[in-house]
Amino acid sequence: FFFLMIRRPPRSTQSRSSAASDVYKRQVSTQSTWGEFFLRNLNRKGRMFRDERRDKEVAVEEVFKQASLGNLPATLAPVEHKQFNPYTFNAGSVVAIAGPKFCLVAGDTRLSEGYSILSRNTSKLVPLTADTYIATSGMYADFIGLQKVLKARITQYKFNIGREPTTESTAQLLSHTLYGKRFFPFYTFNLIAGLDENGDGAVYGYDAIGTINRLPYAVQGSGKSLILPILDNEIQGYNKVKHTPPQDLNQLQELIVDVFTSAAERDIYTCLLYTSPSPRDRQKSRMPSSA
Amino acid sequence: MIKGVYDVDCGTWSPQGKLIQVEYAMEAVKQGSICLGLKSQEYAVLCSLKRAPSELSSYMDKTFKVDDHMGLSMAGLTADARSLCKYMRNECLNYKYNYEVAHPVERLIFKIAEKSQKKTQSVSTRPYGVGLLVIGVDQTGTHLFETCPSGNFYEYNAYSIGARSQAARTYLENHFQKFSKASLERLILHGLKALKGAVQEETDFNTRSVEIAFVGLKENFTTLKEDQVDSYLKKLAD
């Protein structure tokens, strides 16, 4: 059973790795036969064992030792079936920026699978309370599941406590909801965007298993590595000799539109942010979270 | 009213063919303070009179929201009402989660009725001591239901339960034909008039003791705030 525990097929998803998906990374050893494996290990000891029983013991120890390092002879491993992969990557990119007395959150509306487009008009942004939004990239099915769980929990909160949860409480709720599935995670890369108790913008970033960080701005999704450096440069002023931070809401909105335009140029999963709906998208998507 | 040896538990019939414990439970409802409900084609309204246990305390709420499309008012043991309300809220959440639509009203009433009936057929538990008036909207329109400790439920155009509810019922019987096409405001005023008929001299009939709630085909269940209740009471006085 020990072998079976660490034996995993090679990964076939094309998404980036995260702590949660590391467990899928183990490879099968290239040693081809049991016999070769034994010979190789016995010879390393530098002598041939005459005692049959002893041979077996040593060989078995070696196998365990190699197995613990992740190396197994292919013949020892079970036949490699194409295993069901429960995860896929659907969603493009989302961005949130916190400001004094406001918070901006944006997401593109493209849903994809592999090289195909599933929908041009599906929202990644969902309001959870009057002053909190959740924005998610990752697997759409898990996004819907997560969103439904959160909404039900928030309704319960409203009945029990008598008011809506604060953005901070909602952020915590998301964190422990995600961790609750630590061993079969929601394949979602989330942002919480809202107003804190002082009325200032609050943005929280997460990984798939619920690590929570409050941030001045955050990006998630396939365009993250394209968008985040621009925001670092434009908002924080990193790597700039002379920096004028964005002055107001309008400048930040323009920045967000520009940033999505740039990402869309290179990332197939991210599309442009439309400032007005494209004529082709006139038919409203009936997906649960569409705007 | 004590019926001697046949009223000990729900496992015993009386010679008259009654379950006396259940009757006692229904008595608890009759002793609770009055609440009434009425509906039109577009709205359903609940009006209730709250009681304060003492001069020093606040008035106990009788109206609870169950979901955006449903709410209830009660007469009898408030704690039992809370317990049932919690169950109803949970059922509505689960239904919404699984089917993405609001829980049909009659289905939920049926679940309450089933729950209530179980308690009338056991020696070890007591029946619920509360009657609920539930208003809700769903695909079949507006609804007003009454639930009983006995496990029965009834649907009404207008009804009243609790102390001196007969007076309110008389008003509702005389006027219910006008309700079907009435506006929300008219409906609420009818409800308040019916409620007033059941109020004794010394009982408080003011902003703090009157509760009004409504739900509409296009409007979520809402309990009116104090200033709104106040304006209706003023209109009533005119």
Side-chain angles (χ1 to χ4, degrees):
Chain A
F1 88 101
F2 185 64
F3 303 150
L4 289 171
M5 264 175 75
I6 53 172
R7 150 94 183 92
R8 289 285 182 273
R11 244 172 44 154
S12 53
T13 45
Q14 48 198 336
S15 47
R16 64 175 56 82
S17 68
S18 70
S21 46
D22 273 351
V23 74
Y24 291 102
K25 266 190 171 156
R26 303 290 187 126
Q27 300 298 320
V28 174
S29 123
T30 49
Q31 290 172 335
S32 54
T33 67
W34 175 261
E36 275 178 28
F37 184 89
F38 259 86
L39 269 176
R40 211 162 289 148
N41 287 306
L42 285 173
N43 282 336
R44 260 196 303 113
K45 286 272 177 188
R47 42 200 174 121
M48 293 292 284
F49 288 94
R50 276 182 301 124
D51 187 328
E52 264 258 312
R53 204 161 65 86
R54 199 70 191 102
D55 274 352
K56 285 207 177 103
E57 282 173 7
V58 169
V60 165
E61 274 167 30
E62 267 306 314
V63 168
F64 267 91
K65 183 173 156 202
Q66 289 301 318
S68 72
L69 297 171
N71 297 324
L72 281 176
T75 50
L76 220 51
V79 175
E80 192 179 320
H81 301 293
K82 187 145 179 13
Q83 223 187 28
F84 170 64
N85 181 11
Y87 294 126
T88 183
F89 184 82
N90 295 127
S93 314
V94 288
V95 170
I97 303 179
K101 304 297 177 214
F102 68 84
C103 190
L104 281 172
V105 58
D108 71 311
T109 58
R110 174 176 290 186
L111 228 55
S112 326
E113 178 133 29
Y115 291 117
S116 303
I117 297 176
L118 297 177
S119 166
R120 296 180 186 278
N121 188 23
T122 306
S123 175
K124 301 181 180 65
L125 272 40
V126 169
L128 292 176
T129 67
D131 40 334
T132 313
Y133 265 78
I134 182 174
T136 307
S137 174
M139 188 166 103
Y140 192 67
D142 274 356
F143 174 42
I144 297 299
L146 174 64
Q147 186 219 118
K148 283 173 84 149
V149 166
L150 290 175
K151 278 184 171 168
R153 272 298 282 116
I154 287 175
T155 307
Q156 285 176 325
Y157 185 105
K158 290 204 290 212
F159 277 135
N160 292 332
I161 314 293
R163 58 165 175 79
E164 288 199 322
T166 59
T167 300
E168 184 175 2
S169 296
T170 312
Q172 278 302 119
L173 172 67
L174 176 57
S175 177
H176 69 70
T177 304
L178 290 171
Y179 197 82
K181 277 178 53 83
R182 170 68 177 83
F183 301 109
F184 186 11
F186 284 108
Y187 197 72
T188 54
F189 303 99
N190 300 288
L191 297 176
I192 289 275
L195 299 174
D196 67 15
E197 284 169 288
N198 300 322
D200 292 323
V203 168
Y204 295 85
Y206 300 79
D207 65 10
I209 52 171
T211 308
I212 176 176
N213 282 305
R214 185 164 177 184
L215 303 160
Y217 54 89
V219 188
Q220 288 283 20
S222 56
K224 178 173 177 176
S225 48
L226 299 169
I227 296 174
L228 196 53
I230 306 183
L231 295 185
D232 288 340
N233 186 267
E234 290 289 320
I235 298 178
Q236 297 278 62
Y238 289 167
N239 308 312
K240 258 191 171 163
V241 173
K242 187 171 167 202
H243 176 60
T244 37
Q247 295 304 318
D248 59 19
L249 194 56
N250 283 322
Q251 275 192 306
L252 281 172
Q253 279 179 320
E254 281 173 18
L255 176 62
I256 287 184
V257 173
D258 285 345
V259 126
F260 269 90
T261 311
S262 299
E265 287 291 316
R266 298 287 182 177
D267 174 29
I268 60 172
Y269 292 110
T270 305
C271 69
L272 299 171
L273 283 186
Y274 295 117
T275 48
S276 55
S278 142
R280 205 185 320 171
D281 299 332
R282 214 159 266 152
Q283 209 217 326
K284 202 171 124 159
S285 164
R286 282 193 267 140
M287 302 274 222
S289 82
S290 75
Chain B
M1 237 273 273
I2 299 168
K3 298 293 203 304
V5 299
Y6 304 112
D7 64 350
V8 181
D9 56 35
C10 286
T12 312
W13 288 97
S14 81
Q16 289 78 35
K18 295 180 195 285
L19 293 167
I20 313 278
Q21 275 293 303
V22 177
E23 309 245 321
Y24 287 170
M26 285 166 39
E27 189 60 31
V29 178
K30 290 182 200 154
Q31 300 289 344
S33 72
I34 187 176
C35 70
L36 61 85
L38 58 163
K39 69 171 192 169
S40 69
Q41 279 177 355
E42 220 190 307
Y43 291 99
V45 169
L46 288 170
C47 296
S48 323
L49 192 66
K50 298 194 274 193
R51 260 190 208 146
S54 89
E55 288 264 330
L56 299 167
S57 74
S58 61
Y59 291 84
M60 280 177 79
D61 288 337
K62 282 157 68 76
T63 306
F64 304 106
K65 176 175 167 177
V66 169
D67 199 354
D68 286 335
H69 69 299
M70 203 189 311
L72 61 88
S73 188
M74 44 70 65
L77 267 51
T78 315
D80 282 4
R82 279 189 191 283
S83 170
L84 282 172
C85 184
K86 191 169 178 181
Y87 171 75
M88 289 168 85
R89 284 171 176 170
N90 224 6
E91 289 298 306
C92 283
L93 267 180
N94 281 325
Y95 198 95
K96 189 75 172 281
Y97 188 94
N98 288 321
Y99 303 111
E100 286 282 329
V101 289
H103 199 307
V105 186
E106 181 163 354
R107 282 254 71 233
L108 190 56
I109 302 297
F110 194 78
K111 286 179 185 172
I112 300 291
E114 244 187 301
K115 237 167 116 65
S116 304
Q117 189 280 337
K118 281 196 176 70
K119 299 203 165 224
T120 67
Q121 208 171 1
S122 157
V123 273
S124 49
T125 60
R126 62 163 178 83
Y128 287 113
V130 67
L132 305 177
L133 282 183
V134 180
I135 56 171
V137 296
D138 57 28
Q139 295 208 322
T140 48
T142 56
H143 298 280
L144 167 66
F145 283 95
E146 181 207 0
T147 71
C148 255
S150 58
N152 287 327
F153 66 94
Y154 311 93
E155 186 165 10
Y156 293 102
N157 283 314
Y159 200 64
S160 170
I161 57 176
R164 282 176 293 283
S165 51
Q166 187 51 57
R169 251 174 280 153
T170 312
Y171 177 95
L172 293 171
E173 278 163 25
N174 291 334
H175 291 88
F176 78 92
Q177 267 110 353
K178 301 178 199 150
F179 296 165
S180 170
K181 298 266 167 51
S183 70
L184 177 62
E185 189 180 303
R186 294 258 88 227
L187 213 57
I188 293 178
L189 285 171
H190 276 300
L192 288 176
K193 277 193 202 135
L195 199 64
K196 186 124 198 243
V199 164
Q200 286 177 321
E201 280 288 316
E202 58 275 9
T203 322
D204 288 336
F205 191 78
N206 55 40
T207 327
R208 288 191 328 277
S209 66
V210 170
E211 233 177 12
I212 308 174
F214 71 91
V215 67
L217 290 178
K218 298 194 191 82
E219 290 185 56
N220 287 346
F221 182 87
T222 319
T223 307
L224 295 190
K225 300 207 177 23
E226 277 206 14
D227 52 335
Q228 293 166 304
V229 174
D230 200 38
S231 72
Y232 274 106
L233 288 177
K234 287 204 172 72
K235 282 194 192 115
L236 187 68
D238 299 337

